[in-house]
Amino acid sequence: MASVTLEHVKKIYDKNVVAVHDFNLEIKDKEFVVFVGPSGCGKSTTLRMIAGLEDISDGILKIDDRVVNDVEPKDRDIAMVFQNYALYPHITVYENLAFSLRLRKMDKEEIHRRVIQAADILGITEYLGRKPKALSGGQRQRVAIGRAIVRNAKVFLMDEPLSNLDAKLRNQMRAEIILLRKRVNTTFVYVTHDQTEAMTLGDRIVVMKDGYIQQVGTPQEVFDTPVNLFVAGFIGSPQMNFLKAHLVKEDSGYAVELLGSKIALNEDQNQVLAQKGIGSKDIILGVRPEHTTVLFDSTQNAIECTIDVNEMMGSELHLHLSSKNGDRIIVRLPTVDLTKEQRSSLAYGNKLYITFPAKVVHLFDPETEASLING
Ligand SMILES: Nc1ncnc2c1ncn2[C@@H]1O[C@H](COP(=O)(O)OP(=O)(O)O)[C@@H](O)[C@H]1O
Ligand SMILES: [Mg+2]
């Protein structure tokens, strides 16, 4: 069992490529932390520094209270699972699992016990005699995870372990990783570019961009209170809508004006804005597709839109709308309560009206892109 601490960790590759800037994070014992962000944001580099596969250019890395910057990977008590499985093709699954233990000159019976146990945990016992090429992608990935399990490592590192699997298998393996985590009950650091994976697996998620941490929090915190435009747009699917709007400060409190509509902000929002001394200004308003109220008739204060695309997703519709100003807005509309007439009215070119209550709106500064409320 172990905690992992990164203090001002930095990575500069040759030719002065700064892949990771000033990374600060304390991963608690038995915590499941996910690094998430677009390709190239420094996730793998950070993970590889924890594993000892990359030198740390600056800063301190600790496992428990021990500084491990200069400790060899094999002496860090860490196990890593890679996206491409990295299995040895010419030996059996059993030998793949046993390999690292044999290198350590572990007692034969102990090796056997651990291999059998890992195979059992992962449901691959019947494949122990096969070679990797005789396995499916999902089975290979289980063997790769098994190689980490047999080590009884203090920390599990996983770099996009599900990226090579098809969508259905990925969902299944994601659930299996949640179960695996319960069984091995150790510290996990998991890298993915997929926000759904991050949200479903992480106790906490670390959202990264361009080598910088953007936000650290529980999935719920990051979803509910994104600190900037990037996090707001990256977490959640379909992504949050962003609209040009104007914040107005009045005697009675703050309100947001956009597209002929006016939304009075609530008490909490008023309090934060007043405390920060924010005056009337242009803002970017964010609202999630699932938080938009759809109206079939014009009412006072509703925003008029035109339907561009109606995507039928089964239990809900994804409507792509455009405002009078040409803003693009996506809304999610559950189908269960729609009448036949309503459904048929949701066709290309028809008008639709939307509103949103104050509690679902996010407010961002157009210049700094920071949230005016969160962080
Ligand atoms: N060995 C390397 N040498 C030089 N630059 C690298 C090397 N590995 C990664 N990079 C660069 O560092 C940045 C972060 O890469 P990486 O950590 O692989 O991102 P991610 O895993 O988030 O996709 C990228 O700009 C990438 O091009
Ligand atoms: Mg990567």
Side-chain angles (χ1 to χ4, degrees), residues 11 82 105 172 195:
K11 177 66 185 183
F82 298 92
K105 310 225 179 317
Q172 188 186 331
Q195 61 94 26

Side-chain angles (χ1 to χ4, degrees), residues 225-233 240-242 245 281-287 361-374:
T225 56
V227 297
N228 61 33
L229 269 182
F230 175 77
V231 175
M240 187 185 284
N241 297 296
F242 297 120
K281 62 186 282 180
D282 286 336
I283 59 159
I284 294 174
L285 178 135
V287 61
V361 304
H362 299 262
L363 313 177
F364 301 98
D365 185 310
E367 265 129 53
T368 65
E369 302 193 350
S371 168
L372 296 177
I373 304 281
N374 311 319

Side-chain angles (χ1 to χ4, degrees), residues 241 243 259 305 319-323 327-331 354:
N241 297 296
L243 303 165
L259 300 164
C305 296
L319 302 172
H320 298 237
L321 312 176
S322 45
S323 76
D327 300 288
R328 314 282 303 240
I329 305 163
I330 297 182
V331 304
I354 58 171

Side-chain angles (χ1 to χ4, degrees), residues 25-28 31-35 188-191 201-206:
L25 184 69
E26 222 183 303
I27 300 167
K28 297 192 241 355
E31 194 176 21
F32 197 123
V33 167
V34 180
F35 297 166
F188 276 79
V189 189
Y190 187 105
V191 161
L201 291 174
D203 294 329
R204 279 192 303 162
I205 65 182
V206 177

